[in-house]
Amino acid sequence: MMELHVCTREGEMLRAFAIGDNAELIIGRDESCDIQIRAQTVSREHCSIEFIGEEMMLRDLKSSGGTYLNGERVDNVRIEDGMEVSVGPAVLKFLDAEF
C-alpha cells in the first residue's frame, strides 16, 4: 500500500491519501476528481494513478500545465517510494506505507 501526500512547494503537507485500493484515481481541480487540487494551474483532470499489472503508474492526462518529475515533464512514469511529482502549485509525495 502506498500513501500519497499532497504538499505545498515549501513542504507543508495539506492532505494524505492511502492509495492502492482503486484501479484508477484521477487528480485534478474538478469536483468529480478522486483527489482534488483547487488551483487554476491544475487542469480539470490533470493526471491519474493507475495499476497496470503489479505496477502503479502516474499518467499525465494531456494537462495544459504538465506533470513534472525532477523538473522534467513526464507523460507516464512508474511510481516509486519517495518519488515527488509537481502538479501546479502542489507536490505529490509517494511513500510506501507498509511497515
Side-chain angles (χ1 to χ4, degrees), residues 8-65:
T8 65
R9 295 208 182 230
E10 294 76 33
E12 177 188 354
M13 186 176 70
L14 302 172
R15 296 184 72 191
F17 300 89
I19 57 175
D21 291 336
N22 298 339
E24 179 181 50
L25 293 171
I26 304 294
I27 300 169
R29 76 168 192 268
D30 195 80
E31 288 180 10
S32 66
C33 291
D34 300 298
I35 299 172
Q36 191 176 16
I37 301 172
R38 294 183 185 156
Q40 288 301 315
T41 54
V42 174
S43 294
R44 284 182 176 86
E45 290 188 348
H46 197 99
C47 59
S48 67
I49 297 170
E50 305 170 357
F51 275 97
I52 300 174
E54 294 294 315
E55 294 187 327
M56 192 180 308
M57 304 293 292
L58 180 74
R59 182 170 57 99
D60 185 82
L61 299 175
K62 300 185 186 332
S63 66
S64 56

Side-chain angles (χ1 to χ4, degrees), residues 2-7 13-19 35 93 95:
M2 291 287 272
E3 198 168 277
L4 168 63
H5 293 184
V6 178
C7 302
M13 186 176 70
L14 302 172
R15 296 184 72 191
F17 300 89
I19 57 175
I35 299 172
K93 295 183 180 183
L95 303 167

Side-chain angles (χ1 to χ4, degrees), residues 9 58 60 65-77 83-87:
R9 295 208 182 230
L58 180 74
D60 185 82
T67 301
Y68 292 86
L69 173 65
N70 300 324
E72 299 285 325
R73 190 170 182 153
V74 294
D75 291 324
N76 199 22
V77 64
M83 187 168 94
E84 295 185 9
V85 177
S86 297
V87 172

